[in-house]
Each structure stands twice: as structure tokens, then as C-alpha cells.
mmCIF file of all heavy atoms in Angstrom:
data_model
loop_
_atom_site.group_PDB
_atom_site.id
_atom_site.type_symbol
_atom_site.label_atom_id
_atom_site.label_comp_id
_atom_site.label_asym_id
_atom_site.label_seq_id
_atom_site.Cartn_x
_atom_site.Cartn_y
_atom_site.Cartn_z
ATOM 1 N N LEU A 1 21.002 -4.321 -1.633
ATOM 2 C CA LEU A 1 20.819 -5.728 -1.265
ATOM 3 C C LEU A 1 21.534 -6.657 -2.241
ATOM 4 O O LEU A 1 22.074 -7.688 -1.840
ATOM 5 C CB LEU A 1 19.332 -6.057 -1.202
ATOM 6 C CG LEU A 1 18.570 -5.464 -0.023
ATOM 7 C CD1 LEU A 1 17.128 -5.957 -0.009
ATOM 8 C CD2 LEU A 1 19.242 -5.810 1.309
ATOM 9 N N GLU A 2 21.540 -6.290 -3.523
ATOM 10 C CA GLU A 2 22.267 -7.114 -4.483
ATOM 11 C C GLU A 2 23.768 -7.057 -4.191
ATOM 12 O O GLU A 2 24.474 -8.071 -4.301
ATOM 13 C CB GLU A 2 21.996 -6.650 -5.910
ATOM 14 C CG GLU A 2 22.647 -7.572 -6.942
ATOM 15 C CD GLU A 2 22.463 -7.105 -8.369
ATOM 16 O OE1 GLU A 2 22.666 -5.906 -8.637
ATOM 17 O OE2 GLU A 2 22.127 -7.950 -9.227
ATOM 18 N N TYR A 3 24.254 -5.890 -3.803
ATOM 19 C CA TYR A 3 25.669 -5.750 -3.452
ATOM 20 C C TYR A 3 26.020 -6.641 -2.254
ATOM 21 O O TYR A 3 27.083 -7.271 -2.219
ATOM 22 C CB TYR A 3 25.969 -4.287 -3.121
ATOM 23 C CG TYR A 3 27.345 -4.043 -2.558
ATOM 24 C CD1 TYR A 3 28.467 -4.009 -3.387
ATOM 25 C CD2 TYR A 3 27.528 -3.855 -1.189
ATOM 26 C CE1 TYR A 3 29.736 -3.799 -2.864
ATOM 27 C CE2 TYR A 3 28.792 -3.641 -0.661
ATOM 28 C CZ TYR A 3 29.889 -3.615 -1.496
ATOM 29 O OH TYR A 3 31.136 -3.408 -0.969
ATOM 30 N N LEU A 4 25.124 -6.714 -1.277
ATOM 31 C CA LEU A 4 25.375 -7.500 -0.072
ATOM 32 C C LEU A 4 25.255 -9.003 -0.304
ATOM 33 O O LEU A 4 26.021 -9.790 0.260
ATOM 34 C CB LEU A 4 24.393 -7.091 1.032
ATOM 35 C CG LEU A 4 24.621 -5.770 1.745
ATOM 36 C CD1 LEU A 4 23.483 -5.497 2.718
ATOM 37 C CD2 LEU A 4 25.957 -5.782 2.495
ATOM 38 N N THR A 5 24.272 -9.401 -1.116
ATOM 39 C CA THR A 5 23.922 -10.821 -1.212
ATOM 40 C C THR A 5 24.192 -11.452 -2.570
ATOM 41 O O THR A 5 24.214 -12.683 -2.672
ATOM 42 C CB THR A 5 22.422 -11.011 -0.907
ATOM 43 O OG1 THR A 5 21.637 -10.397 -1.947
ATOM 44 C CG2 THR A 5 22.058 -10.375 0.439
ATOM 45 N N GLY A 6 24.332 -10.640 -3.606
ATOM 46 C CA GLY A 6 24.471 -11.179 -4.951
ATOM 47 C C GLY A 6 23.141 -11.532 -5.585
ATOM 48 O O GLY A 6 23.092 -12.014 -6.721
ATOM 49 N N CYS A 7 22.046 -11.286 -4.854
ATOM 50 C CA CYS A 7 20.703 -11.614 -5.358
ATOM 51 C C CYS A 7 19.907 -10.339 -5.602
ATOM 52 O O CYS A 7 19.979 -9.383 -4.827
ATOM 53 C CB CYS A 7 19.959 -12.492 -4.355
ATOM 54 S SG CYS A 7 20.756 -14.083 -4.043
ATOM 55 N N LYS A 8 19.121 -10.345 -6.652
ATOM 56 C CA LYS A 8 18.276 -9.206 -6.986
ATOM 57 C C LYS A 8 16.908 -9.383 -6.331
ATOM 58 O O LYS A 8 16.191 -10.332 -6.628
ATOM 59 C CB LYS A 8 18.105 -9.103 -8.502
ATOM 60 C CG LYS A 8 17.115 -8.039 -8.962
ATOM 61 C CD LYS A 8 16.968 -8.061 -10.470
ATOM 62 C CE LYS A 8 15.909 -7.070 -10.944
ATOM 63 N NZ LYS A 8 15.773 -7.089 -12.430
ATOM 64 N N PRO A 9 16.525 -8.496 -5.433
ATOM 65 C CA PRO A 9 15.190 -8.599 -4.826
ATOM 66 C C PRO A 9 14.121 -8.222 -5.850
ATOM 67 O O PRO A 9 14.277 -7.245 -6.586
ATOM 68 C CB PRO A 9 15.241 -7.594 -3.678
ATOM 69 C CG PRO A 9 16.258 -6.591 -4.101
ATOM 70 C CD PRO A 9 17.282 -7.349 -4.898
ATOM 71 N N ILE A 10 13.048 -8.999 -5.901
ATOM 72 C CA ILE A 10 11.995 -8.701 -6.876
ATOM 73 C C ILE A 10 10.614 -8.543 -6.235
ATOM 74 O O ILE A 10 9.710 -7.977 -6.854
ATOM 75 C CB ILE A 10 11.920 -9.778 -7.982
ATOM 76 C CG1 ILE A 10 11.582 -11.145 -7.375
ATOM 77 C CG2 ILE A 10 13.212 -9.826 -8.778
ATOM 78 C CD1 ILE A 10 11.318 -12.215 -8.424
ATOM 79 N N TYR A 11 10.458 -9.025 -5.000
ATOM 80 C CA TYR A 11 9.143 -8.955 -4.354
ATOM 81 C C TYR A 11 9.355 -8.810 -2.846
ATOM 82 O O TYR A 11 10.209 -9.467 -2.265
ATOM 83 C CB TYR A 11 8.331 -10.220 -4.641
ATOM 84 C CG TYR A 11 6.861 -10.108 -4.287
ATOM 85 C CD1 TYR A 11 5.947 -9.615 -5.216
ATOM 86 C CD2 TYR A 11 6.389 -10.482 -3.038
ATOM 87 C CE1 TYR A 11 4.598 -9.509 -4.904
ATOM 88 C CE2 TYR A 11 5.045 -10.363 -2.711
ATOM 89 C CZ TYR A 11 4.153 -9.886 -3.656
ATOM 90 O OH TYR A 11 2.823 -9.762 -3.336
ATOM 91 N N ILE A 12 8.565 -7.942 -2.225
ATOM 92 C CA ILE A 12 8.682 -7.690 -0.796
ATOM 93 C C ILE A 12 7.349 -7.972 -0.119
ATOM 94 O O ILE A 12 6.326 -7.402 -0.501
ATOM 95 C CB ILE A 12 9.088 -6.227 -0.512
ATOM 96 C CG1 ILE A 12 10.377 -5.861 -1.251
ATOM 97 C CG2 ILE A 12 9.269 -6.007 0.992
ATOM 98 C CD1 ILE A 12 10.751 -4.400 -1.130
ATOM 99 N N GLU A 13 7.364 -8.849 0.867
ATOM 100 C CA GLU A 13 6.167 -9.089 1.658
ATOM 101 C C GLU A 13 6.121 -8.067 2.796
ATOM 102 O O GLU A 13 7.148 -7.600 3.269
ATOM 103 C CB GLU A 13 6.188 -10.496 2.250
ATOM 104 C CG GLU A 13 5.994 -11.603 1.233
ATOM 105 C CD GLU A 13 4.549 -11.741 0.790
ATOM 106 O OE1 GLU A 13 3.702 -10.966 1.283
ATOM 107 O OE2 GLU A 13 4.270 -12.619 -0.045
ATOM 108 N N GLY A 14 4.918 -7.725 3.232
ATOM 109 C CA GLY A 14 4.807 -6.807 4.345
ATOM 110 C C GLY A 14 3.486 -6.070 4.346
ATOM 111 O O GLY A 14 2.669 -6.220 3.432
ATOM 112 N N GLU A 15 3.291 -5.274 5.368
ATOM 113 C CA GLU A 15 2.056 -4.511 5.511
ATOM 114 C C GLU A 15 2.243 -3.114 4.941
ATOM 115 O O GLU A 15 2.439 -2.140 5.662
ATOM 116 C CB GLU A 15 1.641 -4.455 6.984
ATOM 117 C CG GLU A 15 1.315 -5.815 7.571
ATOM 118 C CD GLU A 15 0.886 -5.730 9.021
ATOM 119 O OE1 GLU A 15 0.789 -4.599 9.546
ATOM 120 O OE2 GLU A 15 0.650 -6.789 9.624
ATOM 121 N N PHE A 16 2.242 -3.027 3.630
ATOM 122 C CA PHE A 16 2.303 -1.750 2.944
ATOM 123 C C PHE A 16 1.600 -1.896 1.600
ATOM 124 O O PHE A 16 1.081 -2.968 1.277
ATOM 125 C CB PHE A 16 3.748 -1.254 2.795
ATOM 126 C CG PHE A 16 4.654 -2.161 1.995
ATOM 127 C CD1 PHE A 16 4.990 -1.844 0.691
ATOM 128 C CD2 PHE A 16 5.179 -3.315 2.555
ATOM 129 C CE1 PHE A 16 5.823 -2.658 -0.050
ATOM 130 C CE2 PHE A 16 6.017 -4.141 1.825
ATOM 131 C CZ PHE A 16 6.341 -3.813 0.515
ATOM 132 N N ARG A 17 1.555 -0.841 0.813
ATOM 133 C CA ARG A 17 0.724 -0.820 -0.391
ATOM 134 C C ARG A 17 1.043 -1.978 -1.342
ATOM 135 O O ARG A 17 2.203 -2.230 -1.674
ATOM 136 C CB ARG A 17 0.908 0.504 -1.130
ATOM 137 C CG ARG A 17 0.505 1.720 -0.297
ATOM 138 C CD ARG A 17 0.563 2.994 -1.110
ATOM 139 N NE ARG A 17 0.443 4.169 -0.253
ATOM 140 C CZ ARG A 17 0.344 5.416 -0.688
ATOM 141 N NH1 ARG A 17 0.330 5.654 -1.992
ATOM 142 N NH2 ARG A 17 0.253 6.434 0.151
ATOM 143 N N GLU A 18 -0.010 -2.664 -1.796
ATOM 144 C CA GLU A 18 0.160 -3.812 -2.689
ATOM 145 C C GLU A 18 0.905 -3.430 -3.960
ATOM 146 O O GLU A 18 1.670 -4.216 -4.513
ATOM 147 C CB GLU A 18 -1.211 -4.399 -3.046
ATOM 148 C CG GLU A 18 -1.883 -5.151 -1.914
ATOM 149 C CD GLU A 18 -1.138 -6.420 -1.524
ATOM 150 O OE1 GLU A 18 -0.559 -7.066 -2.422
ATOM 151 O OE2 GLU A 18 -1.121 -6.753 -0.326
ATOM 152 N N SER A 19 0.667 -2.210 -4.448
ATOM 153 C CA SER A 19 1.269 -1.774 -5.704
ATOM 154 C C SER A 19 2.787 -1.662 -5.620
ATOM 155 O O SER A 19 3.458 -1.510 -6.646
ATOM 156 C CB SER A 19 0.687 -0.412 -6.112
ATOM 157 O OG SER A 19 0.973 0.577 -5.133
ATOM 158 N N ARG A 20 3.340 -1.766 -4.419
ATOM 159 C CA ARG A 20 4.780 -1.596 -4.248
ATOM 160 C C ARG A 20 5.533 -2.906 -4.029
ATOM 161 O O ARG A 20 6.758 -2.920 -4.082
ATOM 162 C CB ARG A 20 5.042 -0.664 -3.059
ATOM 163 C CG ARG A 20 4.440 0.709 -3.255
ATOM 164 C CD ARG A 20 4.659 1.578 -2.047
ATOM 165 N NE ARG A 20 4.138 2.921 -2.255
ATOM 166 C CZ ARG A 20 4.197 3.899 -1.372
ATOM 167 N NH1 ARG A 20 4.739 3.674 -0.191
ATOM 168 N NH2 ARG A 20 3.712 5.089 -1.644
ATOM 169 N N LYS A 21 4.814 -3.971 -3.774
ATOM 170 C CA LYS A 21 5.472 -5.221 -3.405
ATOM 171 C C LYS A 21 6.209 -5.873 -4.581
ATOM 172 O O LYS A 21 7.312 -6.375 -4.418
ATOM 173 C CB LYS A 21 4.447 -6.183 -2.803
ATOM 174 C CG LYS A 21 3.844 -5.673 -1.509
ATOM 175 C CD LYS A 21 2.840 -6.642 -0.912
ATOM 176 C CE LYS A 21 2.281 -6.109 0.407
ATOM 177 N NZ LYS A 21 1.325 -7.043 1.033
ATOM 178 N N ASP A 22 5.589 -5.875 -5.751
ATOM 179 C CA ASP A 22 6.209 -6.422 -6.956
ATOM 180 C C ASP A 22 7.087 -5.319 -7.544
ATOM 181 O O ASP A 22 6.646 -4.523 -8.368
ATOM 182 C CB ASP A 22 5.122 -6.857 -7.938
ATOM 183 C CG ASP A 22 5.668 -7.607 -9.138
ATOM 184 O OD1 ASP A 22 6.896 -7.794 -9.222
ATOM 185 O OD2 ASP A 22 4.854 -7.986 -10.006
ATOM 186 N N ILE A 23 8.348 -5.263 -7.126
ATOM 187 C CA ILE A 23 9.194 -4.096 -7.382
ATOM 188 C C ILE A 23 9.321 -3.775 -8.862
ATOM 189 O O ILE A 23 9.143 -2.622 -9.278
ATOM 190 C CB ILE A 23 10.600 -4.313 -6.787
ATOM 191 C CG1 ILE A 23 10.514 -4.636 -5.300
ATOM 192 C CG2 ILE A 23 11.462 -3.067 -7.006
ATOM 193 C CD1 ILE A 23 11.861 -5.021 -4.687
ATOM 194 N N PHE A 24 9.630 -4.782 -9.672
ATOM 195 C CA PHE A 24 9.903 -4.552 -11.091
ATOM 196 C C PHE A 24 8.864 -5.178 -12.011
ATOM 197 O O PHE A 24 9.097 -5.309 -13.213
ATOM 198 C CB PHE A 24 11.297 -5.089 -11.445
ATOM 199 C CG PHE A 24 12.393 -4.508 -10.592
ATOM 200 C CD1 PHE A 24 13.085 -5.315 -9.697
ATOM 201 C CD2 PHE A 24 12.745 -3.174 -10.676
ATOM 202 C CE1 PHE A 24 14.110 -4.799 -8.910
ATOM 203 C CE2 PHE A 24 13.752 -2.637 -9.891
ATOM 204 C CZ PHE A 24 14.435 -3.455 -9.006
ATOM 205 N N GLY A 25 7.727 -5.583 -11.468
ATOM 206 C CA GLY A 25 6.688 -6.191 -12.296
ATOM 207 C C GLY A 25 7.055 -7.563 -12.819
ATOM 208 O O GLY A 25 6.495 -8.015 -13.817
ATOM 209 N N LEU A 26 7.970 -8.248 -12.136
ATOM 210 C CA LEU A 26 8.434 -9.550 -12.606
ATOM 211 C C LEU A 26 7.602 -10.700 -12.057
ATOM 212 O O LEU A 26 7.717 -11.831 -12.536
ATOM 213 C CB LEU A 26 9.901 -9.756 -12.213
ATOM 214 C CG LEU A 26 10.895 -8.753 -12.820
ATOM 215 C CD1 LEU A 26 12.292 -9.005 -12.266
ATOM 216 C CD2 LEU A 26 10.889 -8.847 -14.337
ATOM 217 N N VAL A 27 6.774 -10.431 -11.060
ATOM 218 C CA VAL A 27 5.938 -11.478 -10.460
ATOM 219 C C VAL A 27 4.531 -11.433 -11.031
ATOM 220 O O VAL A 27 4.008 -12.447 -11.515
ATOM 221 C CB VAL A 27 5.905 -11.323 -8.923
ATOM 222 C CG1 VAL A 27 4.974 -12.367 -8.304
ATOM 223 C CG2 VAL A 27 7.309 -11.454 -8.342
#
């Protein structure tokens, strides 16, 4: 995604495990 957009994803919303949404612990 960073290659495509130039932005680093750090958090993902959605219906899956809470422990996985904050990808790098930055939030």
C-alpha cells in the first residue's frame, strides 16, 4: 500500500480481531 500510495497504513477498521487493527502500535 505504501508503494501504491506513498502513505504508510497504521490502522485498519473492520470486523476482525481488535488486536490486529493497530498494525504497529502507533495509535
Side-chain angles (χ1 to χ4, degrees):
L1 288 185
E2 185 183 46
Y3 172 78
L4 285 175
T5 67
C7 298
K8 174 183 176 180
I10 62 173
Y11 193 88
I12 305 174
E13 289 284 0
E15 297 181 3
F16 61 103
R17 299 186 191 186
E18 287 294 326
S19 61
R20 299 177 177 180
K21 296 181 179 181
D22 188 0
I23 304 173
F24 304 113
L26 298 176
V27 177

